[in-house]
Amino acid sequence: VYVAVESPRGELGCYMVADGSAKPYRMHIRGPSFVNLQGLPHMIRGGLVADAVAIISSIDPIMGEVDR
């Protein structure tokens, strides 16, 4: 099952697979910052290097969440 919850930074997704026992077989949490960073090359294209800081901070990423 996949369940999406709206968070302040975007869509937070939770994916679970169960085999019928009391514990899930697999669980994965999809953080919104990872998806938001995928659009970064399109937003920076054609801009200046000095604009990159403002563009990155406008999507407000949490790098610990992306590293997961």
Side-chain angles (χ1 to χ4, degrees):
V1 68
Y2 179 80
V3 176
V5 179
E6 187 175 338
S7 72
R9 289 184 171 81
E11 180 181 292
L12 176 69
C14 182
Y15 174 72
M16 294 181 77
V17 177
D19 57 359
S21 65
K23 295 182 181 179
Y25 173 72
R26 174 172 163 76
M27 180 177 171
H28 178 73
I29 297 177
R30 180 185 155 269
S33 292
F34 179 72
V35 178
N36 291 346
L37 280 180
Q38 292 178 1
L40 195 58
H42 299 288
M43 290 187 271
I44 292 180
R45 186 176 297 134
L48 301 173
V49 174
D51 297 333
V53 175
I55 293 170
I56 291 170
S57 63
S58 71
I59 59 175
D60 195 23
I62 298 175
M63 298 315 281
E65 181 181 300
V66 173
D67 189 35
R68 189 172 20 134

